[in-house]
Amino acid sequence: MTITERTPSTAGSRRYELTQWERRFIGGHVLIAIIALGIGSLIGPLQALEYPNVDLYQYLEPILQSYYQGLTLHGVLNALVWTTFFIVGFTTFTTIVGLRRPLSHPRINLAGFITMVVGLLLAAVPMLLDQATVLYTFYPPLEASWAFYTGLTLVVVGSWISGLGFYLTLHAWRQENRGVRSPFIALGGVINAAMWQIATIGVAVEMLTMLIPWSLGLTDGTDPSLARTYFWFTGHPLVYFWLLPAYVSWYGMLPKQAGGKLFSDSLARLAFWMFLIVSVPVGFHHQFVDPGVTQVWKWIHAALTYSVFFPSMITAFTVIASLEYAARQRGGTGLIGWVRALPW
């Protein structure tokens, strides 16, 4: 019997019902994420109004003291906090529901969540006190309080700890279902967590070897060019960390919601493995005008950047094909007329 011929022992119509603790745990991630998104989004219009010279910051003192303080809060809350907390919560959900089993080591995932919350609170204090107005990219020679750098580091470390919990849960499921292909909806989230852990090595090295010692006065200065390279080792894969949970929902949830099935499970898995391989080493394309990066590396990263086109096109084809199949099952006809048959 081949691996594709076997089905999970938990397969069938039975659904896994989340426990009250699991619901609260996932909801805690999502609640913090939405609060961060809400605050960060409210600051956005203040920045937009600066362009026609409408300065509303003067009415918000001492809460917000400057345009760049607001821009830092906007970027950190929307690009880093909202995304990390939501994605970790979403992946917790897809891991539990996809594998139809509880987390194998819930205390590890709880420790990850607590670490992220502590890091968020630690980073929030200097941002609100205007002691970390360095934007979400925190490029040196702009300098922030040590608490800002340490707090963001703890948010990343917390996501790593949660990722460990996901890996252990998938491993436990595989031990219980030997020779069975892992459910895609769970595998996709775990691959995204693995990609994130690899990608964030760059910013971890930047924080631990450069920015935190510098902000504590342990070193006299830092290297702005090298810091930018470390940041973009993480900064570009960050956008795929945001994107892949959406892909999980497109591949793993949308076809069923449309009344059909996934057109090709194998293509879905191939797309995710390709993202894991090609998404990390492309950061130099954010440094095409930086003199500290050689032309050879810029050419290599340009080629790698275009390689991301392939899993993107696989996704476009597979998701649309899945929707077309569902629509035709519902009676849709014609070259594009089937679109009207989808359950909009």
Side-chain angles (χ1 to χ4, degrees), residues 124-154:
V125 173
M127 284 194 292
L128 293 173
L129 295 177
D130 201 20
Q131 297 174 0
T133 302
V134 293
L135 311 187
Y136 95 97
T137 51
F138 43 83
Y139 286 159
L142 295 174
E143 185 177 4
S145 164
W146 66 269
F148 173 76
Y149 298 129
T150 305
L152 289 186
T153 301
L154 288 176

Side-chain angles (χ1 to χ4, degrees), residues 8-311:
S9 59
T10 53
S13 59
R14 182 173 66 85
R15 296 173 58 187
Y16 179 87
E17 294 295 334
L18 294 172
T19 66
Q20 185 178 34
W21 183 87
E22 289 168 341
R23 291 177 182 274
R24 289 179 176 177
F25 184 58
I26 295 169
H29 287 81
V30 176
L31 177 62
I32 293 174
I34 291 176
I35 291 173
L37 177 66
I39 296 173
S41 298
L42 288 173
I43 298 173
L46 301 180
Q47 292 142 217
L49 290 171
E50 285 280 326
Y51 289 94
N53 295 319
V54 179
D55 182 13
L56 297 182
Y57 285 99
Q58 58 182 317
Y59 303 110
L60 297 175
E61 294 182 357
I63 299 175
L64 291 178
Q65 301 177 38
S66 70
Y67 168 83
Y68 287 105
Q69 183 190 15
L71 188 57
T72 299
L73 284 164
H74 174 73
V76 170
L77 291 177
N78 283 11
L80 302 179
V81 177
W82 141 251
T83 51
T84 304
F85 274 87
F86 180 85
I87 291 167
V88 171
F90 179 80
T91 306
T92 304
F93 171 77
T94 58
T95 300
I96 294 173
V97 174
L99 299 178
R100 296 176 185 170
R101 57 154 296 147
L103 296 168
S104 63
H105 297 75
R107 291 183 179 180
I108 291 178
N109 290 82
L110 179 60
F113 177 66
I114 292 173
T115 303
M116 290 168 61
V117 172
V118 171
L120 170 60
L121 295 175
L122 189 60
V125 173
M127 284 194 292
L128 293 173
L129 295 177
D130 201 20
Q131 297 174 0
T133 302
V134 293
L135 311 187
Y136 95 97
T137 51
F138 43 83
Y139 286 159
L142 295 174
E143 185 177 4
S145 164
W146 66 269
F148 173 76
Y149 298 129
T150 305
L152 289 186
T153 301
L154 288 176
V155 171
V156 171
V157 170
S159 70
W160 287 357
I161 296 172
S162 296
L164 174 61
F166 303 146
Y167 307 146
L168 292 174
T169 302
L170 179 61
H171 175 72
W173 183 92
R174 292 185 64 83
Q175 292 296 109
E176 298 162 358
N177 298 271
R178 293 184 179 275
V180 181
R181 176 177 284 188
S182 303
F184 170 78
I185 195 171
L187 179 66
V190 172
I191 289 176
N192 191 38
M195 184 274 294
W196 176 240
Q197 292 195 349
I198 296 169
T200 47
I201 291 174
V203 76
V205 171
E206 180 188 5
M207 292 292 193
L208 296 176
T209 67
M210 300 177 71
L211 299 184
I212 293 178
W214 178 49
S215 64
L216 289 171
L218 301 178
T219 57
D220 294 331
T222 188
D223 185 335
S225 180
L226 180 59
R228 281 169 57 84
T229 300
Y230 281 140
F231 176 84
W232 285 115
F233 185 89
T234 299
H236 186 79
L238 177 65
V239 303
Y240 300 113
F241 180 58
W242 303 340
L243 177 65
L244 292 187
Y247 278 21
V248 168
S249 68
W250 295 352
Y251 281 122
M253 302 177 186
L254 190 61
K256 185 175 181 180
Q257 292 166 344
K261 63 179 182 179
L262 180 62
F263 178 77
S264 173
D265 181 78
S266 296
L267 281 178
R269 293 169 191 269
L270 175 62
F272 270 72
W273 285 114
M274 289 182 71
F275 270 118
L276 177 63
I277 294 169
V278 304
S279 66
V280 175
V282 296
F284 281 165
H285 77 222
H286 291 272
Q287 296 179 269
F288 279 157
V289 297
D290 284 20
V293 181
T294 65
Q295 291 290 83
V296 172
W297 279 111
K298 291 176 182 178
W299 277 107
I300 292 173
H301 279 239
L304 289 170
T305 299
Y306 284 115
S307 68
V308 180
F309 167 87
F310 295 103

